[in-house]
Amino acid sequence: MARKPWSFKEDRRLMELAKSSASLEEAAKVLGRSPDAIKRMALRLGLSLKSKPGKKG
């Protein structure tokens, strides 16, 4: 499956979500992307997102 490129607007939104302590799953839902995609981009941007307790991956 081809990956959809991230827009500047999505980068900014992810930064805002990370600042507001959103979980990985919440960010994925808001941005319409998979938790793995969110995790990859967060790492690339140097952001820290927590996964909800009880969920692996």
Side-chain angles (χ1 to χ4, degrees):
M1 179 165 44
R3 293 183 188 162
K4 186 178 129 196
W6 283 70
S7 69
F8 178 73
K9 199 175 185 178
E10 288 174 309
D11 290 350
R12 297 289 300 177
R13 186 70 179 122
L14 182 55
M15 288 180 213
E16 289 169 11
L17 289 165
K19 274 187 191 174
S20 70
S21 302
S23 72
L24 191 61
E25 290 80 7
E26 289 168 332
K29 199 177 290 184
V30 168
L31 290 167
R33 292 183 179 262
S34 72
D36 280 343
I38 298 296
K39 198 183 297 184
R40 275 193 302 273
M41 185 51 76
L43 282 172
R44 188 175 291 169
L45 294 173
L47 303 172
S48 169
L49 287 165
K50 304 285 185 250
S51 191
K52 282 188 179 170
K55 275 204 163 188
K56 297 257 178 184

mmCIF file of all heavy atoms in Angstrom:
data_model
loop_
_atom_site.group_PDB
_atom_site.id
_atom_site.type_symbol
_atom_site.label_atom_id
_atom_site.label_comp_id
_atom_site.label_asym_id
_atom_site.label_seq_id
_atom_site.Cartn_x
_atom_site.Cartn_y
_atom_site.Cartn_z
ATOM 1 N N MET A 1 0.855 -1.183 0.000
ATOM 2 C CA MET A 1 0.000 0.000 0.000
ATOM 3 C C MET A 1 0.896 1.239 0.000
ATOM 4 O O MET A 1 1.812 1.360 0.806
ATOM 5 C CB MET A 1 -0.909 -0.018 1.231
ATOM 6 C CG MET A 1 -1.802 1.179 1.297
ATOM 7 S SD MET A 1 -3.195 1.115 2.445
ATOM 8 C CE MET A 1 -2.540 0.429 3.917
ATOM 9 N N ALA A 2 0.619 2.153 -0.880
ATOM 10 C CA ALA A 2 1.411 3.376 -0.994
ATOM 11 C C ALA A 2 1.107 4.304 0.177
ATOM 12 O O ALA A 2 -0.035 4.436 0.597
ATOM 13 C CB ALA A 2 1.091 4.081 -2.299
ATOM 14 N N ARG A 3 2.143 4.920 0.682
ATOM 15 C CA ARG A 3 1.977 5.858 1.792
ATOM 16 C C ARG A 3 1.612 7.228 1.247
ATOM 17 O O ARG A 3 2.172 7.681 0.263
ATOM 18 C CB ARG A 3 3.262 5.977 2.590
ATOM 19 C CG ARG A 3 3.615 4.714 3.316
ATOM 20 C CD ARG A 3 4.860 4.944 4.132
ATOM 21 N NE ARG A 3 5.302 3.679 4.688
ATOM 22 C CZ ARG A 3 6.509 3.473 5.157
ATOM 23 N NH1 ARG A 3 7.390 4.435 5.135
ATOM 24 N NH2 ARG A 3 6.841 2.317 5.653
ATOM 25 N N LYS A 4 0.674 7.876 1.933
ATOM 26 C CA LYS A 4 0.269 9.224 1.561
ATOM 27 C C LYS A 4 1.267 10.200 2.171
ATOM 28 O O LYS A 4 1.558 10.125 3.364
ATOM 29 C CB LYS A 4 -1.134 9.463 2.119
ATOM 30 C CG LYS A 4 -1.770 10.760 1.714
ATOM 31 C CD LYS A 4 -3.173 10.845 2.288
ATOM 32 C CE LYS A 4 -3.312 12.167 3.002
ATOM 33 N NZ LYS A 4 -4.460 12.228 3.889
ATOM 34 N N PRO A 5 1.829 11.095 1.373
ATOM 35 C CA PRO A 5 2.790 12.054 1.930
ATOM 36 C C PRO A 5 2.147 12.935 3.004
ATOM 37 O O PRO A 5 0.964 13.252 2.924
ATOM 38 C CB PRO A 5 3.197 12.908 0.730
ATOM 39 C CG PRO A 5 2.635 12.259 -0.470
ATOM 40 C CD PRO A 5 1.574 11.302 -0.033
ATOM 41 N N TRP A 6 2.932 13.299 3.982
ATOM 42 C CA TRP A 6 2.454 14.175 5.048
ATOM 43 C C TRP A 6 2.522 15.624 4.589
ATOM 44 O O TRP A 6 3.521 16.062 4.035
ATOM 45 C CB TRP A 6 3.327 14.007 6.291
ATOM 46 C CG TRP A 6 3.027 12.769 7.064
ATOM 47 C CD1 TRP A 6 3.300 11.487 6.671
ATOM 48 C CD2 TRP A 6 2.396 12.678 8.340
ATOM 49 N NE1 TRP A 6 2.887 10.614 7.643
ATOM 50 C CE2 TRP A 6 2.332 11.314 8.672
ATOM 51 C CE3 TRP A 6 1.899 13.613 9.238
ATOM 52 C CZ2 TRP A 6 1.774 10.862 9.865
ATOM 53 C CZ3 TRP A 6 1.340 13.171 10.421
ATOM 54 C CH2 TRP A 6 1.280 11.806 10.728
ATOM 55 N N SER A 7 1.479 16.379 4.869
ATOM 56 C CA SER A 7 1.476 17.804 4.552
ATOM 57 C C SER A 7 2.034 18.583 5.748
ATOM 58 O O SER A 7 2.087 18.077 6.873
ATOM 59 C CB SER A 7 0.053 18.284 4.260
ATOM 60 O OG SER A 7 -0.723 18.270 5.455
ATOM 61 N N PHE A 8 2.433 19.810 5.494
ATOM 62 C CA PHE A 8 2.927 20.674 6.561
ATOM 63 C C PHE A 8 1.849 20.836 7.633
ATOM 64 O O PHE A 8 2.133 20.831 8.833
ATOM 65 C CB PHE A 8 3.327 22.030 5.978
ATOM 66 C CG PHE A 8 3.806 23.004 7.016
ATOM 67 C CD1 PHE A 8 5.050 22.853 7.608
ATOM 68 C CD2 PHE A 8 3.005 24.066 7.394
ATOM 69 C CE1 PHE A 8 5.495 23.749 8.571
ATOM 70 C CE2 PHE A 8 3.435 24.968 8.363
ATOM 71 C CZ PHE A 8 4.684 24.808 8.949
ATOM 72 N N LYS A 9 0.606 20.947 7.179
ATOM 73 C CA LYS A 9 -0.530 21.122 8.091
ATOM 74 C C LYS A 9 -0.662 19.911 9.027
ATOM 75 O O LYS A 9 -0.923 20.067 10.225
ATOM 76 C CB LYS A 9 -1.803 21.292 7.253
ATOM 77 C CG LYS A 9 -2.961 21.911 7.974
ATOM 78 C CD LYS A 9 -4.092 22.132 6.970
ATOM 79 C CE LYS A 9 -5.248 22.868 7.611
ATOM 80 N NZ LYS A 9 -6.321 23.127 6.666
ATOM 81 N N GLU A 10 -0.484 18.708 8.484
ATOM 82 C CA GLU A 10 -0.557 17.493 9.303
ATOM 83 C C GLU A 10 0.601 17.433 10.301
ATOM 84 O O GLU A 10 0.411 17.026 11.446
ATOM 85 C CB GLU A 10 -0.540 16.250 8.421
ATOM 86 C CG GLU A 10 -1.828 16.030 7.662
ATOM 87 C CD GLU A 10 -1.727 14.880 6.687
ATOM 88 O OE1 GLU A 10 -0.769 14.851 5.890
ATOM 89 O OE2 GLU A 10 -2.597 13.998 6.740
ATOM 90 N N ASP A 11 1.790 17.840 9.856
ATOM 91 C CA ASP A 11 2.941 17.895 10.770
ATOM 92 C C ASP A 11 2.612 18.795 11.953
ATOM 93 O O ASP A 11 2.847 18.432 13.108
ATOM 94 C CB ASP A 11 4.179 18.460 10.065
ATOM 95 C CG ASP A 11 4.764 17.529 9.026
ATOM 96 O OD1 ASP A 11 4.338 16.355 8.959
ATOM 97 O OD2 ASP A 11 5.651 17.973 8.280
ATOM 98 N N ARG A 12 2.097 19.978 11.664
ATOM 99 C CA ARG A 12 1.760 20.946 12.719
ATOM 100 C C ARG A 12 0.705 20.382 13.663
ATOM 101 O O ARG A 12 0.790 20.545 14.870
ATOM 102 C CB ARG A 12 1.246 22.255 12.099
ATOM 103 C CG ARG A 12 2.239 22.981 11.239
ATOM 104 C CD ARG A 12 3.347 23.611 12.002
ATOM 105 N NE ARG A 12 2.813 24.591 12.936
ATOM 106 C CZ ARG A 12 3.541 25.277 13.798
ATOM 107 N NH1 ARG A 12 4.836 25.105 13.847
ATOM 108 N NH2 ARG A 12 2.991 26.148 14.612
ATOM 109 N N ARG A 13 -0.295 19.712 13.090
ATOM 110 C CA ARG A 13 -1.381 19.138 13.904
ATOM 111 C C ARG A 13 -0.826 18.057 14.829
ATOM 112 O O ARG A 13 -1.207 17.983 16.001
ATOM 113 C CB ARG A 13 -2.465 18.569 12.985
ATOM 114 C CG ARG A 13 -3.688 18.079 13.711
ATOM 115 C CD ARG A 13 -4.479 19.251 14.307
ATOM 116 N NE ARG A 13 -5.655 18.751 14.985
ATOM 117 C CZ ARG A 13 -5.919 18.965 16.277
ATOM 118 N NH1 ARG A 13 -5.134 19.696 17.008
ATOM 119 N NH2 ARG A 13 -6.996 18.459 16.823
ATOM 120 N N LEU A 14 0.074 17.239 14.310
ATOM 121 C CA LEU A 14 0.682 16.195 15.129
ATOM 122 C C LEU A 14 1.481 16.829 16.275
ATOM 123 O O LEU A 14 1.436 16.357 17.410
ATOM 124 C CB LEU A 14 1.575 15.288 14.281
ATOM 125 C CG LEU A 14 2.234 14.120 15.011
ATOM 126 C CD1 LEU A 14 1.209 13.239 15.722
ATOM 127 C CD2 LEU A 14 3.068 13.292 14.047
ATOM 128 N N MET A 15 2.181 17.912 15.996
ATOM 129 C CA MET A 15 2.933 18.614 17.041
ATOM 130 C C MET A 15 1.990 19.137 18.129
ATOM 131 O O MET A 15 2.274 19.027 19.318
ATOM 132 C CB MET A 15 3.723 19.776 16.444
ATOM 133 C CG MET A 15 4.900 19.348 15.617
ATOM 134 S SD MET A 15 5.757 20.812 14.973
ATOM 135 C CE MET A 15 6.325 20.197 13.413
ATOM 136 N N GLU A 16 0.861 19.698 17.701
ATOM 137 C CA GLU A 16 -0.130 20.207 18.660
ATOM 138 C C GLU A 16 -0.691 19.082 19.518
ATOM 139 O O GLU A 16 -0.842 19.226 20.733
ATOM 140 C CB GLU A 16 -1.286 20.896 17.921
ATOM 141 C CG GLU A 16 -0.910 22.214 17.288
ATOM 142 C CD GLU A 16 -1.993 22.729 16.335
ATOM 143 O OE1 GLU A 16 -3.114 22.170 16.327
ATOM 144 O OE2 GLU A 16 -1.708 23.691 15.598
ATOM 145 N N LEU A 17 -0.995 17.947 18.890
ATOM 146 C CA LEU A 17 -1.536 16.806 19.623
ATOM 147 C C LEU A 17 -0.527 16.273 20.631
ATOM 148 O O LEU A 17 -0.888 15.924 21.759
ATOM 149 C CB LEU A 17 -1.950 15.688 18.647
ATOM 150 C CG LEU A 17 -3.182 15.997 17.802
ATOM 151 C CD1 LEU A 17 -3.287 15.028 16.635
ATOM 152 C CD2 LEU A 17 -4.442 15.949 18.651
ATOM 153 N N ALA A 18 0.735 16.231 20.245
ATOM 154 C CA ALA A 18 1.785 15.756 21.153
ATOM 155 C C ALA A 18 1.905 16.699 22.354
ATOM 156 O O ALA A 18 2.028 16.246 23.493
ATOM 157 C CB ALA A 18 3.115 15.654 20.420
ATOM 158 N N LYS A 19 1.843 18.006 22.096
ATOM 159 C CA LYS A 19 1.922 18.993 23.180
ATOM 160 C C LYS A 19 0.759 18.857 24.151
ATOM 161 O O LYS A 19 0.908 19.085 25.347
ATOM 162 C CB LYS A 19 1.917 20.416 22.617
ATOM 163 C CG LYS A 19 3.271 20.922 22.240
ATOM 164 C CD LYS A 19 3.170 22.392 21.863
ATOM 165 C CE LYS A 19 4.444 22.865 21.225
ATOM 166 N NZ LYS A 19 4.331 24.238 20.720
ATOM 167 N N SER A 20 -0.410 18.505 23.623
ATOM 168 C CA SER A 20 -1.598 18.385 24.475
ATOM 169 C C SER A 20 -1.716 16.992 25.094
ATOM 170 O O SER A 20 -2.762 16.633 25.626
ATOM 171 C CB SER A 20 -2.859 18.718 23.676
ATOM 172 O OG SER A 20 -3.110 17.707 22.723
ATOM 173 N N SER A 21 -0.644 16.213 25.009
ATOM 174 C CA SER A 21 -0.571 14.879 25.621
ATOM 175 C C SER A 21 -1.590 13.883 25.054
ATOM 176 O O SER A 21 -2.078 13.019 25.764
ATOM 177 C CB SER A 21 -0.740 14.975 27.143
ATOM 178 O OG SER A 21 0.240 15.797 27.682
ATOM 179 N N ALA A 22 -1.912 14.028 23.777
ATOM 180 C CA ALA A 22 -2.807 13.070 23.132
ATOM 181 C C ALA A 22 -2.092 11.722 23.021
ATOM 182 O O ALA A 22 -0.870 11.666 22.917
ATOM 183 C CB ALA A 22 -3.188 13.568 21.739
ATOM 184 N N SER A 23 -2.859 10.647 23.054
ATOM 185 C CA SER A 23 -2.262 9.324 22.907
ATOM 186 C C SER A 23 -2.007 9.049 21.424
ATOM 187 O O SER A 23 -2.529 9.736 20.545
ATOM 188 C CB SER A 23 -3.196 8.250 23.469
ATOM 189 O OG SER A 23 -4.309 8.070 22.610
ATOM 190 N N LEU A 24 -1.223 8.034 21.188
ATOM 191 C CA LEU A 24 -0.922 7.600 19.826
ATOM 192 C C LEU A 24 -2.218 7.282 19.075
ATOM 193 O O LEU A 24 -2.405 7.690 17.928
ATOM 194 C CB LEU A 24 -0.036 6.353 19.918
ATOM 195 C CG LEU A 24 0.630 5.832 18.672
ATOM 196 C CD1 LEU A 24 1.569 6.869 18.090
ATOM 197 C CD2 LEU A 24 1.391 4.565 19.003
ATOM 198 N N GLU A 25 -3.113 6.578 19.748
ATOM 199 C CA GLU A 25 -4.388 6.182 19.125
ATOM 200 C C GLU A 25 -5.265 7.392 18.818
ATOM 201 O O GLU A 25 -5.913 7.450 17.771
ATOM 202 C CB GLU A 25 -5.146 5.205 20.038
ATOM 203 C CG GLU A 25 -4.499 3.842 20.148
ATOM 204 C CD GLU A 25 -3.308 3.788 21.123
ATOM 205 O OE1 GLU A 25 -3.055 4.800 21.831
ATOM 206 O OE2 GLU A 25 -2.625 2.756 21.155
ATOM 207 N N GLU A 26 -5.289 8.378 19.734
ATOM 208 C CA GLU A 26 -6.083 9.589 19.503
ATOM 209 C C GLU A 26 -5.541 10.364 18.302
ATOM 210 O O GLU A 26 -6.312 10.828 17.458
ATOM 211 C CB GLU A 26 -6.050 10.491 20.746
ATOM 212 C CG GLU A 26 -6.840 9.937 21.902
ATOM 213 C CD GLU A 26 -6.584 10.675 23.212
ATOM 214 O OE1 GLU A 26 -5.478 11.239 23.385
ATOM 215 O OE2 GLU A 26 -7.485 10.666 24.058
ATOM 216 N N ALA A 27 -4.224 10.487 18.241
ATOM 217 C CA ALA A 27 -3.608 11.202 17.122
ATOM 218 C C ALA A 27 -3.913 10.498 15.803
ATOM 219 O O ALA A 27 -4.202 11.145 14.799
ATOM 220 C CB ALA A 27 -2.101 11.316 17.333
ATOM 221 N N ALA A 28 -3.867 9.166 15.817
ATOM 222 C CA ALA A 28 -4.159 8.392 14.608
ATOM 223 C C ALA A 28 -5.592 8.648 14.145
ATOM 224 O O ALA A 28 -5.848 8.841 12.953
ATOM 225 C CB ALA A 28 -3.938 6.902 14.871
ATOM 226 N N LYS A 29 -6.515 8.680 15.088
ATOM 227 C CA LYS A 29 -7.926 8.905 14.763
ATOM 228 C C LYS A 29 -8.133 10.311 14.193
ATOM 229 O O LYS A 29 -8.793 10.485 13.170
ATOM 230 C CB LYS A 29 -8.777 8.717 16.019
ATOM 231 C CG LYS A 29 -10.234 8.474 15.725
ATOM 232 C CD LYS A 29 -11.023 8.223 16.994
ATOM 233 C CE LYS A 29 -10.666 6.875 17.605
ATOM 234 N NZ LYS A 29 -11.477 6.537 18.783
ATOM 235 N N VAL A 30 -7.535 11.312 14.846
ATOM 236 C CA VAL A 30 -7.687 12.707 14.417
ATOM 237 C C VAL A 30 -7.113 12.919 13.014
ATOM 238 O O VAL A 30 -7.717 13.591 12.180
ATOM 239 C CB VAL A 30 -6.998 13.660 15.423
ATOM 240 C CG1 VAL A 30 -6.891 15.069 14.866
ATOM 241 C CG2 VAL A 30 -7.760 13.672 16.744
ATOM 242 N N LEU A 31 -5.928 12.336 12.759
ATOM 243 C CA LEU A 31 -5.257 12.564 11.481
ATOM 244 C C LEU A 31 -5.650 11.558 10.396
ATOM 245 O O LEU A 31 -5.239 11.700 9.250
ATOM 246 C CB LEU A 31 -3.738 12.544 11.687
ATOM 247 C CG LEU A 31 -3.204 13.752 12.475
ATOM 248 C CD1 LEU A 31 -1.775 13.511 12.919
ATOM 249 C CD2 LEU A 31 -3.293 15.014 11.642
ATOM 250 N N GLY A 32 -6.413 10.539 10.776
ATOM 251 C CA GLY A 32 -6.847 9.550 9.788
ATOM 252 C C GLY A 32 -5.706 8.701 9.255
ATOM 253 O O GLY A 32 -5.666 8.360 8.077
ATOM 254 N N ARG A 33 -4.761 8.385 10.129
ATOM 255 C CA ARG A 33 -3.609 7.567 9.756
ATOM 256 C C ARG A 33 -3.452 6.439 10.762
ATOM 257 O O ARG A 33 -4.028 6.478 11.845
ATOM 258 C CB ARG A 33 -2.338 8.408 9.709
ATOM 259 C CG ARG A 33 -2.354 9.423 8.569
ATOM 260 C CD ARG A 33 -1.059 10.165 8.510
ATOM 261 N NE ARG A 33 -1.043 11.132 7.421
ATOM 262 C CZ ARG A 33 -0.496 10.904 6.234
ATOM 263 N NH1 ARG A 33 0.072 9.758 5.967
ATOM 264 N NH2 ARG A 33 -0.516 11.829 5.303
ATOM 265 N N SER A 34 -2.647 5.462 10.408
ATOM 266 C CA SER A 34 -2.442 4.330 11.315
ATOM 267 C C SER A 34 -1.551 4.741 12.482
ATOM 268 O O SER A 34 -0.728 5.658 12.348
ATOM 269 C CB SER A 34 -1.790 3.166 10.570
ATOM 270 O OG SER A 34 -0.440 3.474 10.288
ATOM 271 N N PRO A 35 -1.701 4.063 13.623
ATOM 272 C CA PRO A 35 -0.803 4.350 14.751
ATOM 273 C C PRO A 35 0.671 4.191 14.371
ATOM 274 O O PRO A 35 1.511 4.965 14.840
ATOM 275 C CB PRO A 35 -1.216 3.319 15.801
ATOM 276 C CG PRO A 35 -2.661 3.060 15.508
ATOM 277 C CD PRO A 35 -2.756 3.129 14.000
ATOM 278 N N ASP A 36 0.992 3.233 13.501
ATOM 279 C CA ASP A 36 2.381 3.057 13.062
ATOM 280 C C ASP A 36 2.879 4.275 12.285
ATOM 281 O O ASP A 36 4.015 4.703 12.458
ATOM 282 C CB ASP A 36 2.538 1.802 12.193
ATOM 283 C CG ASP A 36 2.610 0.532 13.026
ATOM 284 O OD1 ASP A 36 2.861 0.628 14.254
ATOM 285 O OD2 ASP A 36 2.416 -0.543 12.450
ATOM 286 N N ALA A 37 2.026 4.825 11.439
ATOM 287 C CA ALA A 37 2.403 6.013 10.665
ATOM 288 C C ALA A 37 2.622 7.202 11.602
ATOM 289 O O ALA A 37 3.561 7.972 11.431
ATOM 290 C CB ALA A 37 1.325 6.344 9.636
ATOM 291 N N ILE A 38 1.771 7.322 12.609
ATOM 292 C CA ILE A 38 1.897 8.400 13.587
ATOM 293 C C ILE A 38 3.206 8.240 14.357
ATOM 294 O O ILE A 38 3.946 9.202 14.563
ATOM 295 C CB ILE A 38 0.704 8.393 14.571
ATOM 296 C CG1 ILE A 38 -0.620 8.627 13.831
ATOM 297 C CG2 ILE A 38 0.912 9.420 15.681
ATOM 298 C CD1 ILE A 38 -0.777 9.966 13.166
ATOM 299 N N LYS A 39 3.494 7.003 14.760
ATOM 300 C CA LYS A 39 4.714 6.720 15.512
ATOM 301 C C LYS A 39 5.959 7.086 14.702
ATOM 302 O O LYS A 39 6.875 7.721 15.212
ATOM 303 C CB LYS A 39 4.750 5.225 15.871
ATOM 304 C CG LYS A 39 5.698 4.878 16.985
ATOM 305 C CD LYS A 39 5.754 3.386 17.245
ATOM 306 C CE LYS A 39 4.446 2.828 17.704
ATOM 307 N NZ LYS A 39 4.493 1.410 18.062
ATOM 308 N N ARG A 40 5.958 6.694 13.419
ATOM 309 C CA ARG A 40 7.103 7.000 12.548
ATOM 310 C C ARG A 40 7.314 8.505 12.407
ATOM 311 O O ARG A 40 8.431 9.004 12.496
ATOM 312 C CB ARG A 40 6.905 6.386 11.157
ATOM 313 C CG ARG A 40 7.343 4.946 11.048
ATOM 314 C CD ARG A 40 7.418 4.493 9.601
ATOM 315 N NE ARG A 40 6.155 4.639 8.881
ATOM 316 C CZ ARG A 40 5.186 3.723 8.861
ATOM 317 N NH1 ARG A 40 5.335 2.589 9.515
ATOM 318 N NH2 ARG A 40 4.093 3.928 8.187
ATOM 319 N N MET A 41 6.223 9.230 12.165
ATOM 320 C CA MET A 41 6.353 10.667 11.969
ATOM 321 C C MET A 41 6.716 11.365 13.269
ATOM 322 O O MET A 41 7.504 12.311 13.267
ATOM 323 C CB MET A 41 5.059 11.256 11.391
ATOM 324 C CG MET A 41 5.176 12.730 11.065
ATOM 325 S SD MET A 41 6.602 13.213 10.054
ATOM 326 C CE MET A 41 6.095 12.662 8.443
ATOM 327 N N ALA A 42 6.181 10.904 14.380
ATOM 328 C CA ALA A 42 6.528 11.494 15.676
ATOM 329 C C ALA A 42 8.023 11.339 15.937
ATOM 330 O O ALA A 42 8.682 12.278 16.376
ATOM 331 C CB ALA A 42 5.712 10.841 16.788
ATOM 332 N N LEU A 43 8.568 10.174 15.632
ATOM 333 C CA LEU A 43 10.000 9.944 15.797
ATOM 334 C C LEU A 43 10.798 10.880 14.899
ATOM 335 O O LEU A 43 11.788 11.470 15.324
ATOM 336 C CB LEU A 43 10.358 8.495 15.467
ATOM 337 C CG LEU A 43 10.048 7.456 16.533
ATOM 338 C CD1 LEU A 43 10.263 6.047 15.986
ATOM 339 C CD2 LEU A 43 10.914 7.679 17.760
ATOM 340 N N ARG A 44 10.351 11.022 13.665
ATOM 341 C CA ARG A 44 11.031 11.890 12.707
ATOM 342 C C ARG A 44 11.033 13.350 13.173
ATOM 343 O O ARG A 44 12.008 14.068 12.981
ATOM 344 C CB ARG A 44 10.353 11.779 11.341
ATOM 345 C CG ARG A 44 11.103 12.498 10.246
ATOM 346 C CD ARG A 44 10.469 12.265 8.905
ATOM 347 N NE ARG A 44 10.643 10.879 8.493
ATOM 348 C CZ ARG A 44 10.015 10.328 7.462
ATOM 349 N NH1 ARG A 44 9.169 11.036 6.748
ATOM 350 N NH2 ARG A 44 10.231 9.086 7.149
ATOM 351 N N LEU A 45 9.924 13.755 13.815
ATOM 352 C CA LEU A 45 9.797 15.140 14.274
ATOM 353 C C LEU A 45 10.342 15.336 15.682
ATOM 354 O O LEU A 45 10.330 16.447 16.201
ATOM 355 C CB LEU A 45 8.322 15.574 14.230
ATOM 356 C CG LEU A 45 7.674 15.660 12.853
ATOM 357 C CD1 LEU A 45 6.185 15.922 12.980
ATOM 358 C CD2 LEU A 45 8.332 16.726 11.992
ATOM 359 N N GLY A 46 10.768 14.240 16.315
ATOM 360 C CA GLY A 46 11.302 14.328 17.664
ATOM 361 C C GLY A 46 10.228 14.530 18.719
ATOM 362 O O GLY A 46 10.456 15.146 19.751
ATOM 363 N N LEU A 47 9.033 13.994 18.441
ATOM 364 C CA LEU A 47 7.914 14.146 19.365
ATOM 365 C C LEU A 47 7.732 12.885 20.201
ATOM 366 O O LEU A 47 8.152 11.802 19.802
ATOM 367 C CB LEU A 47 6.616 14.413 18.593
ATOM 368 C CG LEU A 47 6.623 15.612 17.663
ATOM 369 C CD1 LEU A 47 5.357 15.635 16.834
ATOM 370 C CD2 LEU A 47 6.784 16.895 18.448
ATOM 371 N N SER A 48 7.058 13.044 21.315
ATOM 372 C CA SER A 48 6.791 11.906 22.180
ATOM 373 C C SER A 48 5.284 11.742 22.342
ATOM 374 O O SER A 48 4.605 12.646 22.826
ATOM 375 C CB SER A 48 7.445 12.156 23.543
ATOM 376 O OG SER A 48 7.017 11.212 24.466
ATOM 377 N N LEU A 49 4.776 10.597 21.925
ATOM 378 C CA LEU A 49 3.357 10.279 22.087
ATOM 379 C C LEU A 49 3.258 8.987 22.880
ATOM 380 O O LEU A 49 3.975 8.030 22.605
ATOM 381 C CB LEU A 49 2.676 10.086 20.725
ATOM 382 C CG LEU A 49 2.433 11.341 19.913
ATOM 383 C CD1 LEU A 49 2.100 10.973 18.481
ATOM 384 C CD2 LEU A 49 1.299 12.147 20.501
ATOM 385 N N LYS A 50 2.365 8.962 23.836
ATOM 386 C CA LYS A 50 2.177 7.764 24.648
ATOM 387 C C LYS A 50 1.060 6.912 24.057
ATOM 388 O O LYS A 50 0.051 7.436 23.599
ATOM 389 C CB LYS A 50 1.794 8.162 26.082
ATOM 390 C CG LYS A 50 2.793 9.084 26.736
ATOM 391 C CD LYS A 50 4.046 8.338 27.152
ATOM 392 C CE LYS A 50 4.991 9.219 27.919
ATOM 393 N NZ LYS A 50 6.196 9.568 27.219
ATOM 394 N N SER A 51 1.265 5.617 24.104
ATOM 395 C CA SER A 51 0.216 4.686 23.696
ATOM 396 C C SER A 51 -0.703 4.476 24.890
ATOM 397 O O SER A 51 -0.275 4.569 26.040
ATOM 398 C CB SER A 51 0.840 3.362 23.264
ATOM 399 O OG SER A 51 -0.120 2.563 22.652
ATOM 400 N N LYS A 52 -1.972 4.203 24.629
ATOM 401 C CA LYS A 52 -2.903 3.944 25.710
ATOM 402 C C LYS A 52 -2.488 2.684 26.453
ATOM 403 O O LYS A 52 -2.110 1.707 25.825
ATOM 404 C CB LYS A 52 -4.328 3.784 25.164
ATOM 405 C CG LYS A 52 -4.975 5.101 24.824
ATOM 406 C CD LYS A 52 -6.424 4.897 24.473
ATOM 407 C CE LYS A 52 -7.066 6.227 24.169
ATOM 408 N NZ LYS A 52 -8.395 6.091 23.610
ATOM 409 N N PRO A 53 -2.587 2.670 27.777
ATOM 410 C CA PRO A 53 -2.226 1.475 28.543
ATOM 411 C C PRO A 53 -3.074 0.281 28.134
ATOM 412 O O PRO A 53 -4.254 0.428 27.789
ATOM 413 C CB PRO A 53 -2.544 1.859 29.989
ATOM 414 C CG PRO A 53 -2.723 3.327 30.002
ATOM 415 C CD PRO A 53 -3.064 3.750 28.609
ATOM 416 N N GLY A 54 -2.446 -0.882 28.123
ATOM 417 C CA GLY A 54 -3.186 -2.098 27.795
ATOM 418 C C GLY A 54 -3.155 -2.463 26.328
ATOM 419 O O GLY A 54 -3.602 -3.516 25.945
ATOM 420 N N LYS A 55 -2.635 -1.575 25.509
ATOM 421 C CA LYS A 55 -2.550 -1.859 24.066
ATOM 422 C C LYS A 55 -1.094 -2.048 23.689
ATOM 423 O O LYS A 55 -0.254 -1.229 24.015
ATOM 424 C CB LYS A 55 -3.133 -0.710 23.246
ATOM 425 C CG LYS A 55 -4.613 -0.799 23.078
ATOM 426 C CD LYS A 55 -5.025 -0.032 21.842
ATOM 427 C CE LYS A 55 -6.417 -0.437 21.427
ATOM 428 N NZ LYS A 55 -6.803 0.101 20.167
ATOM 429 N N LYS A 56 -0.807 -3.111 22.997
ATOM 430 C CA LYS A 56 0.564 -3.371 22.544
ATOM 431 C C LYS A 56 0.704 -2.883 21.114
ATOM 432 O O LYS A 56 -0.217 -2.994 20.320
ATOM 433 C CB LYS A 56 0.866 -4.861 22.595
ATOM 434 C CG LYS A 56 0.815 -5.428 23.989
ATOM 435 C CD LYS A 56 2.188 -5.637 24.507
ATOM 436 C CE LYS A 56 2.090 -6.159 25.916
ATOM 437 N NZ LYS A 56 3.317 -6.315 26.565
ATOM 438 N N GLY A 57 1.920 -2.399 20.779
ATOM 439 C CA GLY A 57 2.171 -2.048 19.388
ATOM 440 C C GLY A 57 2.311 -0.607 19.248
ATOM 441 O O GLY A 57 2.388 0.136 18.439
#
